[in-house]
Amino acid sequence: MSFNTFGHLFRVTTWGESHGPALGATVDGCPPGIALDAAMIQQWLDRRKPGQNKHTTQRREPDEVEILSGVYEGQTTGTPIQLMIRNVDQRSKDYGNILETFRPGHADITYFQKYGLRDPRGGGRSSARETAARVAAGGVARAVLQSLAPGLSVRGYMVQMGSMSIDRRRFDWDQIGANPFWTPDAVAAEEWETYLGAIRKDGNSVGAVIEVTASGVPAGIGAPVYAKLDTELAAAMMSINAVKGVEIGDGMASAALTGVQNADEIRMGPNGPEYQSNHAGGILGGIATGQDVVVRFAVKPTSSIHTPRGSVTRDGENTEVVTKGRHDPCVGIRAVPVGEAMMACVLLDQILLHRAQVGDGPRGRIGG
Amino acid sequence: MSFNTFGHLFRVTTWGESHGPALGATVDGCPPGIALDAAMIQQWLDRRKPGQNKHTTQRREPDEVEILSGVYEGQTTGTPIQLMIRNVDQRSKDYGNILETFRPGHADITYFQKYGLRDPRGGGRSSARETAARVAAGGVARAVLQSLAPGLSVRGYMVQMGSMSIDRRRFDWDQIGANPFWTPDAVAAEEWETYLGAIRKDGNSVGAVIEVTASGVPAGIGAPVYAKLDTELAAAMMSINAVKGVEIGDGMASAALTGVQNADEIRMGPNGPEYQSNHAGGILGGIATGQDVVVRFAVKPTSSIHTPRGSVTRDGENTEVVTKGRHDPCVGIRAVPVGEAMMACVLLDQILLHRAQVGDGPRGRIGG
Amino acid sequence: MSFNTFGHLFRVTTWGESHGPALGATVDGCPPGIALDAAMIQQWLDRRKPGQNKHTTQRREPDEVEILSGVYEGQTTGTPIQLMIRNVDQRSKDYGNILETFRPGHADITYFQKYGLRDPRGGGRSSARETAARVAAGGVARAVLQSLAPGLSVRGYMVQMGSMSIDRRRFDWDQIGANPFWTPDAVAAEEWETYLGAIRKDGNSVGAVIEVTASGVPAGIGAPVYAKLDTELAAAMMSINAVKGVEIGDGMASAALTGVQNADEIRMGPNGPEYQSNHAGGILGGIATGQDVVVRFAVKPTSSIHTPRGSVTRDGENTEVVTKGRHDPCVGIRAVPVGEAMMACVLLDQILLHRAQVGDGPRGRIGG
Amino acid sequence: MSFNTFGHLFRVTTWGESHGPALGATVDGCPPGIALDAAMIQQWLDRRKPGQNKHTTQRREPDEVEILSGVYEGQTTGTPIQLMIRNVDQRSKDYGNILETFRPGHADITYFQKYGLRDPRGGGRSSARETAARVAAGGVARAVLQSLAPGLSVRGYMVQMGSMSIDRRRFDWDQIGANPFWTPDAVAAEEWETYLGAIRKDGNSVGAVIEVTASGVPAGIGAPVYAKLDTELAAAMMSINAVKGVEIGDGMASAALTGVQNADEIRMGPNGPEYQSNHAGGILGGIATGQDVVVRFAVKPTSSIHTPRGSVTRDGENTEVVTKGRHDPCVGIRAVPVGEAMMACVLLDQILLHRAQVGDGPRGRIGG
């Protein structure tokens, strides 16, 4: 089925196609009495907005969110919140040639195979524009988290572009907002600038790795077995367009560790247990330890490129595809606020689930 | 909440603790009229069974599955199938010392923080024994797949132990069943034998990477946005104990590719479109292309080790933890059949979802 | 939680308040390739529209539906369909006096107790305006049913107003569209006309019983135990505002029957088994028999009346409440198309569920 | 699909057939730290147990429940609780003749039409034995409610047998346990005794109406639109075997009331608002008012009767069916504890949902 909903209790259903009249998110299960207005959501959409610099698609969408329901006099009422974003700058003619052919590496062919038809304008539902709805919903989640988990912060940033990783020794939180790549490494930002310029000029594209860190996550949220915090995060990140891998803490590198290396040792601190390392990425047995929750995901290079690649037509003829139109040479850049939004939604959902089963806050206290 | 269920239509709820009287899986949504008996499920449990060689825990569980409902005269009836496995060899006294302390890197501490109490015997619900229930449910899924997608096969194998990867040029499907590590590389199997012996002798443990390949997956199954095939697989694999990373196709390495490299070019073959490569791991836009679906996941090293590590007691005192009892030096070995079971369950669930929305088989045909 | 979604596979989430900017329905899981446009949905909304005669509220809402997503060139694409209806004629000042007091028999007081705040304008989310969104979603369901179950028809009608029931001997399908009460009994329609005029003049209101009959329902849809067809219908109808009772077939009167009377005897007919009666309302063991599926539900009288009733203020003072504003003297009239919409949605959902588990059509054939 | 689960957060999945080796319930989402043992559940099963007097089937099942998981040292751990009841007294030969024919009014025919096969022994999954699993799960719900909503009580009783209703003026809570019909009217009990004896002697059966009252329900639980408290109760009761109608408060009789009659007037009392009547059955707009929640449901007469009724064979021949074997002449009697169990499960589920979204207790207080 379609299943365009995520979340168990804080349930977000996104809808809309790239070049339809509008897109949005239906947010159900939001607690009541939370201060919320369009501006609080708009700030996050503005971060994601295309056309802000030469490294993202030149499509110019204002991405203005309207709240159609669920908010009364600046407060959530506990009923569904409808967030709508009108599409404005649809230049569908740019995409005319893709109706009969399928871009290699793109969802064109599988949508056709699944449904027998598809909305080809701008990739339809498979477009990265769908992520605007996620960012809007994430704005609601953040507003609720401010109230339910005041110290919690969620921050995303790029740690790798193509084969070039950041140097962790240069990690500077303040750099993240100061460059077009949301990277904490100022030196990397400069190198990537040059690199990505060349990629774009070549009519090519490149992948990236995004990391999202949540600090101040209450110990005890999460669940064993299937609604594990890490399971939910893996699903949330893998559901973003073009993501092909997800890691928690040390991720794939955990395989190369021994048990002695991997054990995050614990010492008692003034406010409770303190971990000496964070290989686990803040999650043990699916449940938050209280440390930073750290997730990474790989975004593959944009499949819409100006370089010809072999493909087939709907009629079964071999052909070469060159995608015209405006595209991101590194779609990973715009995935940063999307990853943050997903993290915020998942954490809120898990906080609500925990509150349902156990009540507020963790149950077991260490050191009385 | 607890949420011990996975799947949308083929719904598996696992239950049971490591040292309770029994564990099992409640399987709802199974199609009727499928040939099924205990032996068909038992064969997969036997693959996973502990104590089969010196590389897995010496706990000796027969892991005999009983079918308590949903099958009549050798056929599924369409009603819930209850699969029960009695626990036999519980040596709970081995674990007595862990009630008051928390193993670093283990779910002991987070279960306590979440629930305020826990079943400490053998890790309770967080034990890898829970995966026996998954393997049993996977046996049901495989029986149904034989009928609904006859050409489909699901095969798991180990591709990395510690920092030692297989050599893909030596990949041999027939080797997988011929060594204790389920690896397709006979040379690696020998090296790992020596390596793991040393690890065990040291009272240490080590991680691993498992790959699962599904061949013959019908093009068109999957879904856009949140019930994507890759999303579901990521969730399924990340929900397995000790998994810290999941990759589809090229996975994290996709980030280092350019769009030109990443595009799996398509040429028309005698039976439809043929892909020239499989960077995508058989999934585009959340929907199966018909190529092999390839998933990899990293299993961290067992946290229960014989080497002392710093931790705290429930009373808040610093302490050193040494885990006694019988443990797997590389729990990744037993994760192979578990990964297969999860793949089988997810594919069946997606086939049922596709059938619900679109009917049998893919809708759009390429080349008339 | 809020849980404003119904359906398992054909999932409808309604959103919006009576006097907010808009309301609507997010429809997920719709099969692809179904002919659909706004006019096909509008016809059902027009049936429900208020202000059409003196027996319904004089609020004049055009209730024009816009399709914002999920349809391309007149066909459903399989992705979420967003249906939006702008609110136009909000005369909120009429409701000013109800912010501080609670109408007896109305959701005012419980919303306040639950959420601590509420949108008081026109009843906010608890208004019968929410049902416009259901009718719109029902229009989508009907379009799909035309394709998936061509002979299936869904028809609702009023069988009782106040204490006055129709005479079943005068039942005439063609009368239903010919009177303002959607009743199949022309004589009753005349009597009710006079009766309801008096009720309205008195500043009073009255309840009603609606019946919905579905013909051509495929035998075999439904499910045992919890997703029973009758369970789903009971939930669907009881979820409509002001409904206090739901009956399948003989309903509450079944209690007074003996087993001999209640047994719907079966005789073999030319096209399969034929039932000699329909006490069961077309459902046995939660599964459709192929007979007419018959559901009835009672709608209580509108709680917003012009007659003073004792209540309390938010501050805890006793008071008398008289509701001004425009209200339906018999809200049951407008519930007829809503009941039809819910029936259509439930039947489609069950057809999709059946198709998922068993495939198309019933499995077991009688008389082979 | 099968969908044998009910509840959103307190999720109960029942499994098992009448004459299979066992049946039971998988209970997920139970809060941790609740005192629970088998005896606490057994007391409710003992109330429902068949064979206790001549008015229920003479099948003798001890119905002993075993807790297989989720409880450690007398307390729930927050993980799934598996409740298993072994079937003991299966006399399947009694049912031999029903494999080839279909009992009129029974699920035999629809199961066959849906699935193409069925477990005919004792009705398989459609047997009333399934309700034993519900009663066991209800026992868990009651244990949790004792802790989460201490003043809450749930009591069921029979108010009508055949066409004979109780006299409400003789309503006496203490009578309920004192007669075989769980009726609060001692005079009715005597009359029914004679009546049912005659029915049984005739090889006939008769229907009944059960009422369940919950007192001490916290104001504010429930939800608008689809997870309404009344919606959930309607679904819960209609999901019980043989139920054909569900009413909340005045139920179907609401239709005959005017708005003036139906308004439950409110006056301020020492502890908050007090209602002067309870036409609404304790629920307004889907949310509990704090009054008694009152649900009624009609149970049709048992379809397995000793009187011949016309039916068809699987081969399509007309035939007469006489059911042998042991059956309840009034299956409604055993539905009393089942209705209570469903009420307990629904209320707990709604309390958890409310706690998730809003926190503990109602939000808005009347009278400061």
Side-chain angles (χ1 to χ4, degrees), chain D residues 7 35 54 62 109 148 166 177 242 338:
Chain D
K54 61 185 172 183
I109 190 166
L148 261 61
I166 62 164
V338 182

Side-chain angles (χ1 to χ4, degrees), chain C residues 6 12 14 24-25 129-139 235-241 337-338 341-342 345, chain D residues 225-226 228:
Chain C
F6 58 92
V12 175
T14 68
R129 261 198 81 59
E130 184 270 341
T131 60
R134 298 180 186 225
V135 172
M237 301 311 169
M238 195 66 98
S239 78
I240 302 172
N241 306 49
V338 182
M342 298 309 288
C345 288
Chain D
V225 184
Y226 206 68
K228 285 177 164 180

Side-chain angles (χ1 to χ4, degrees), chain A residues 6 110-111 113-114 205 222 224 226 228 244 246 248 259 265 267-268 280 284 310-311 314 316 318-319 354 363 367, chain B residues 6 110-111 113-114 205 222 224 239 244 246 248 258-259 265 267-268 280 284 310-311 314 318-319 354 363 367:
Chain A
F6 57 92
T110 50
Y111 268 62
Q113 286 178 305
K114 182 177 191 69
S205 64
Y226 207 69
K228 283 177 164 180
K244 302 303 284 186
V246 181
I248 307 290
E265 293 188 287
R267 299 283 86 181
M268 206 59 198
L284 290 173
S311 185
R314 216 160 64 171
N318 285 337
T319 185
H354 182 81
R363 260 296 180 84
Chain B
F6 59 93
T110 51
Y111 268 63
Q113 286 180 306
K114 182 175 192 72
S205 62
S239 77
K244 302 303 283 184
V246 181
I248 307 290
T258 65
E265 293 189 287
R267 299 283 86 180
M268 206 59 199
L284 290 173
S311 185
R314 216 161 65 170
N318 285 337
T319 185
H354 182 81
R363 262 295 182 83

Side-chain angles (χ1 to χ4, degrees), chain A residues 42-264:
Chain A
Q42 193 63 48
Q43 62 178 317
W44 306 109
L45 280 165
D46 290 348
R47 287 191 68 189
R48 181 202 156 280
K49 205 160 60 178
Q52 299 197 109
N53 61 56
K54 62 187 171 183
H55 302 299
T56 54
T57 171
Q58 293 308 296
R59 176 172 175 177
R60 301 211 174 266
E61 284 291 349
D63 274 357
E64 267 177 37
V65 67
E66 280 179 73
I67 300 176
L68 296 182
S69 66
V71 175
Y72 178 65
E73 295 189 342
Q75 284 193 298
T76 60
T77 58
T79 61
I81 300 171
Q82 184 58 259
L83 305 171
M84 182 176 68
I85 300 164
R86 289 276 180 193
N87 286 319
V88 173
D89 183 22
Q90 310 105 305
R91 300 213 323 237
S92 294
K93 60 186 176 301
D94 286 352
Y95 295 89
N97 60 324
I98 63 168
L99 180 58
E100 293 304 319
T101 63
F102 307 108
R103 282 165 284 183
H106 194 276
D108 291 339
I109 190 166
T110 50
Y111 268 62
F112 174 70
Q113 286 178 305
K114 182 177 191 69
Y115 296 118
L117 83 170
R118 65 195 165 101
D119 179 346
R121 301 166 303 166
R125 181 76 181 143
S126 70
S127 164
R129 263 199 79 60
E130 183 270 341
T131 59
R134 299 180 186 226
V135 171
V140 177
R142 286 187 192 257
V144 182
L145 285 170
Q146 268 187 340
S147 163
L148 260 61
L152 194 151
S153 78
V154 170
R155 285 173 294 185
Y157 40 90
M158 193 181 283
V159 295
Q160 185 183 330
M161 176 184 286
S163 53
M164 304 158 79
S165 294
I166 63 164
D167 184 333
R168 294 267 169 180
R169 291 164 301 183
R170 290 192 297 254
F171 196 110
D172 178 357
W173 288 107
D174 295 332
Q175 276 300 320
I176 292 172
N179 63 71
F181 308 110
W182 313 108
T183 184
D185 176 350
V187 177
E190 277 183 52
E191 293 167 356
W192 296 354
E193 180 94 33
T194 313
Y195 176 64
L196 196 59
I199 286 283
R200 193 177 58 249
K201 220 168 150 184
D202 275 7
N204 206 342
S205 64
V206 75
V209 176
I210 311 301
E211 188 169 282
V212 183
T213 294
S215 302
V217 176
I221 71 164
V225 183
Y226 207 69
K228 283 177 164 180
L229 181 50
D230 30 10
T231 299
E232 302 283 320
L233 287 170
M237 300 310 170
M238 195 66 97
S239 77
I240 302 171
N241 308 48
V243 171
K244 302 303 284 186
V246 181
E247 302 186 309
I248 307 290
D250 282 3
M252 299 305 293
S254 306
L257 299 179
T258 65
V260 172
Q261 293 166 327
N262 183 64
D264 296 314

Side-chain angles (χ1 to χ4, degrees), chain B residues 36 85 95 113 144 150 173 238 256 258 272 280 325 347:
Chain B
L36 188 72
I85 300 163
Y95 296 88
Q113 286 180 306
V144 181
W173 289 107
M238 195 66 97
T258 65
L347 291 177

Side-chain angles (χ1 to χ4, degrees), chain C residues 291-308:
Chain C
Q291 291 181 277
D292 282 359
V293 172
V294 183
V295 182
R296 259 182 322 285
F297 55 93
V299 184
K300 70 176 185 182
T302 320
S303 52
S304 301
I305 49 178
H306 294 201
T307 308

Side-chain angles (χ1 to χ4, degrees), chain D residues 6 59 81 108 248 269 304 318 331:
Chain D
F6 57 93
R59 177 171 174 178
I81 300 170
D108 290 339
I248 307 290
S304 300
N318 285 337
V331 76

